[in-house]
Amino acid sequence: MTDTDRKMSPKTSRRPVPLFDIFFDIPHPAASSLNAGSRVIDPPDNFNSNITSEMCKALNISRIARFAFPDHDDQTHASSKAKNNELLSASQTLNRYDMYLYSFTASHHTFSIQIDDGTRVHGHVRRYLPLRSDVKTRADVGRRGSRAMILLTRVTGGERFYATVLKMIEALVMKETCLPAYIHRDEMSLKPFLHALCNGHGKMLEDHYKAIQSPDLKFLKKNYNLQMIGIEFHCDNKKNKHEKLQVSSDNVVLNLPETLEPGYDFSGLYTHLEDLYSPMLPLLRNLGPSNTLRLLSAMLCELRIIMVSRNISKLSECVKGAAAMLAQGMLIWRHILIPVLPPHLMRYLTIQSPYIVGIVDQIAGNLANIPELSDVLTINLDTKVLSTINMVNPLITIPDLLDQRFELSPCYKLCEVLVKDLNGIEKSDQRVWEMHMDTLSKEERNTAGDAIVGDNASALNQNKQRTFKSALRNMIGLRGKNKAKNAKETNDNDAFALFGKIVRRDVNLPKDQNDETGKAQSYDKEVDTYEDIIATEGDAIEACAACENERGEELLRASLVCFFLELYGDMGMYLSQSQKDGKFWMDRYKFLLRKKTDGESESTPMFSVLGRLTRSLMFEQFVRSQIIDIEKPASERKYLMSRHIPLFVICSKHLTKKRLSFTTENIRNTVFVTIDAYPQHEVKKKREIIRERALVLTSEKPLNGEVNLLLQNLVEECRECNGALCQVFAVIWMRLSETRASLWKRPLLGLYLLKNLILHGPVSAIIEAMDGVNKISALRNYTVKNIEASESVRSTAKQVYDLLVDLCHTFWMRRRIMMWKAVKIVNPYNDLNWANFIIRRIPITTDFRHMHVLLRPNEFTSLSIERRSKAS
């Protein structure tokens, strides 16, 4: 990227990059041929590029297949087939790569490749299990091979966005497979959906570039959404045959990530930070604070790092999260970074240059067979164990920034504050799904219910804001839980009883023993057999995996920015200007000398890290970007949107402009005030309110409010598939994981909410639920001492499970529901017959005899009266 490209104004350089460059749907390379055949979809003609033609080459398709299935070693498979003298025709039969539904776990990961012309292309992969070609009505019948859907794009970031798009694609594929062709031939299928998505995004970009031509640059928004209409259901309008009827549940809203928003300049100054917006909490959850700091020390020293895990999705998230930690300090990893390394590339691990790669646990045993592998840090994400391979002195190679021998040094205190922040964020993240409705008193819950039914949910939101402000002050964790007193509750105030009215026609709910006796009976001492039946670790869907803890991500981002700002200090003090051409350059020795002046001796671990960091390529790139930022003219700065400027840059410029010293107090005050003023912060607050609504609906605690209206509004909010829907599903998985017998209502209400989302929510809700089908299947064996409660949970779980495995029936039910809604749009009075017309028109005070004459005029004719008199 040249300096000229970076200085190009968004006003003169339009971004021709589409939302995706090409789409692949390929089978597992070693599975049977029951679901063989690949599928390729190009972008619309107006977005076509040479990437599409190049990626369709046979060599590149084989490369993509290896990255899509990184746990499969094709060379080992080929040699085993030759050893066993298997014929090529044997691939027609089932083999060990074909699996049942209950033994398959869907996954999502990313990779990046570079094509011949030097363009870097990012791939988003979702592995799924299709329906059998000979059994299209049931998903739980028969074995078949998995497939992978790959979206290739030049756009960086947006992992959650593309994961949601791939789930919607899977739902459309399932619908095309299940339903007959005459049903969905006029509806939006896979290719029209991708083209509409791409064209809608392009139209949004065009509108933005037209808006910035005007003198008023009022194009800042809190969020940008792509709204797709008519994805699943089309119905001709009888009034206007050229118009298709649409219903609210047929709309899908996608919240755009920062890198896809209008105004984000791909040739700009900060676009080299590819992983700036990638989630980092998965890495903190799997490593812990102290190991996370040790990993940060290894990355600042540019060492070779290998992460190992059984879960491909976890592996990809943690590798991207490690790069995102560096990006908060404006550092970009300039070496090899592969989230999930395919087996055929393991021979390149012996190179002497730094790298960060992820390896699936089942092939990680091959590391011992590489003799030249040395000076490598391995991190097992499943066991949280850090080890080294052929490293002479790990304590010197990977400096321990928390070495207590140097506790008086300034940087030790800086690292201690960071670990303290990470501890607080980790504890807050662990309690984020249990801290609200389970700890509120009865009065607070009633207030929360009334507020949530409204538009702003102010009461509950204020309570939550108080909690997060406490975390911002000390970052040690959230305040202790309030102990709710046991009280006698009635059915009218019981959220369980209110919510049960919605689905009582489907399931006969058992009576709550609290309502009859007025005394709460405790089942805490019972042994729950469901706890032993629930899905094993590694296969279960966790609440934290369904969506991001966005507030926790904000706090983690802010803590790392504070760390890097204090570590660097005022960079303007270390820049010197050349007398010949007037260009700036950084004096490395002046930077290290300043650290000595501040009290950091050369023997401390941090000074060793800084010495290596200042000689690294990523620090050189960081200094170069700072110099370009200084030289950038004001005429081009006004086109930059504040939401696209990194938090580090905003806070650093504020401290410099206000001439504030880079002390801990000044930095933390500036950073935490800035993140609350970000436009995205309001969007995150709205999603937190949606999560609170889901918690209220699935809680057994008393609640005042209209539950029907609350449920309807919640399902409507879930049309935002990569925002609100993820939050609600995270609550559902948390409720379904409840194993305490006294809280059996939580999984029951979670199943009711899940059933409503499957039938009334967006089409991607079906795939979201399919990812946790094993957990739903386990609930069919739910057992507690309360027999009626066990039967209720079991029967409801069976209903939801049948909806997920019998997709043909599910899609037909969704069509019937949406057809009924479409009819209500055309005919809001349902039946326009004479009786209904009379009932609506006659006054309420009309005597019943006259009303009966109007409705049954034949009964009061002279002939009818005469016949009655004769009969009597």
Side-chain angles (χ1 to χ4, degrees), residues 223 225 455 461 550 680-693 717 720 724 727:
N223 63 326
N225 293 330
D455 294 331
N461 189 41
E550 296 181 337
Q680 298 94 321
H681 184 68
E682 295 297 325
V683 180
K684 295 173 182 178
K685 287 170 59 177
K686 180 181 178 182
R687 291 176 183 170
E688 291 170 3
I689 295 174
I690 293 173
R691 184 176 63 191
E692 296 297 343
R693 294 179 182 178
E717 292 285 352
E720 186 189 10
Q727 296 284 346

Side-chain angles (χ1 to χ4, degrees), residues 204-266:
M204 185 180 295
L205 295 179
E206 291 293 333
D207 294 341
H208 172 79
Y209 286 119
K210 291 178 182 179
I212 65 176
Q213 302 296 330
S214 61
D216 296 333
L217 297 177
K218 298 179 180 180
F219 48 83
L220 273 176
K221 293 183 179 180
K222 294 181 179 180
N223 63 326
Y224 290 89
N225 293 330
L226 275 178
Q227 184 167 358
M228 309 296 298
I229 300 178
I231 288 180
E232 187 183 3
F233 175 74
H234 283 180
C235 178
D236 293 328
N237 192 342
K238 294 181 179 180
K239 295 183 179 180
N240 187 359
K241 295 184 178 180
H242 300 286
E243 180 183 352
K244 299 287 185 181
L245 292 177
Q246 307 295 343
V247 291
S248 59
S249 59
D250 200 22
N251 300 347
V252 174
V253 179
L254 294 171
N255 184 254
L256 290 176
E258 287 82 354
T259 53
L260 282 172
E261 289 178 349
Y264 187 85
D265 187 14
F266 254 65

Side-chain angles (χ1 to χ4, degrees), residues 242-448:
H242 300 286
E243 180 183 352
K244 299 287 185 181
L245 292 177
Q246 307 295 343
V247 291
S248 59
S249 59
D250 200 22
N251 300 347
V252 174
V253 179
L254 294 171
N255 184 254
L256 290 176
E258 287 82 354
T259 53
L260 282 172
E261 289 178 349
Y264 187 85
D265 187 14
F266 254 65
S267 60
L269 179 62
Y270 311 116
T271 54
H272 64 283
L273 299 168
E274 296 180 356
D275 303 306
L276 180 63
Y277 304 105
S278 297
M280 296 174 289
L281 267 178
L283 181 65
L284 180 61
R285 294 188 191 110
N286 291 283
L287 284 185
S290 58
N291 288 340
T292 302
L293 185 63
R294 201 66 182 268
L295 172 62
L296 181 61
S297 173
M299 291 189 297
L300 293 177
C301 294
E302 290 193 331
L303 299 179
R304 289 182 284 277
I305 303 170
I306 297 177
M307 297 187 187
V308 181
S309 177
R310 297 188 305 268
N311 192 312
I312 296 179
S313 300
K314 180 194 296 186
L315 202 58
S316 178
E317 287 179 341
C318 291
V319 172
K320 300 287 286 187
M325 289 176 59
L326 293 176
Q328 307 312 312
M330 303 297 292
L331 299 176
I332 177 173
W333 186 260
R334 304 291 297 177
H335 308 283
I336 298 174
L337 190 143
I338 304 177
V340 187
L341 185 73
H344 73 283
L345 296 179
M346 289 190 64
R347 62 180 183 271
Y348 296 105
L349 294 177
T350 58
I351 61 176
Q352 297 303 313
S353 61
Y355 54 75
I356 303 177
V357 298
I359 297 180
V360 184
D361 183 64
Q362 66 187 59
I363 64 173
N366 298 332
L367 293 175
N369 300 327
I370 305 177
E372 299 179 359
L373 191 63
S374 61
D375 292 334
V376 175
L377 171 65
T378 61
I379 303 173
N380 194 312
L381 300 174
D382 300 327
T383 60
K384 299 183 180 181
V385 174
L386 277 66
S387 59
T388 59
I389 299 178
N390 297 331
M391 188 175 291
V392 179
N393 195 336
L395 294 179
I396 297 178
T397 307
I398 311 174
D400 184 7
L401 302 180
L402 291 178
D403 193 342
Q404 296 184 356
R405 295 177 299 174
F406 308 97
E407 60 182 2
L408 298 180
S409 64
C411 289
Y412 177 87
K413 298 178 181 179
L414 171 63
C415 298
E416 192 177 24
V417 171
L418 177 61
V419 172
K420 188 177 180 180
D421 291 351
L422 297 180
N423 273 312
I425 295 171
E426 184 185 32
K427 294 178 181 178
S428 302
D429 180 66
Q430 292 174 354
R431 302 192 313 222
V432 72
W433 304 106
E434 304 173 359
M435 55 174 284
H436 304 290
M437 299 308 299
D438 299 337
T439 58
L440 297 178
S441 63
K442 176 183 175 182
E443 292 77 11
E444 289 173 328
R445 280 193 298 271
N446 292 339
T447 307

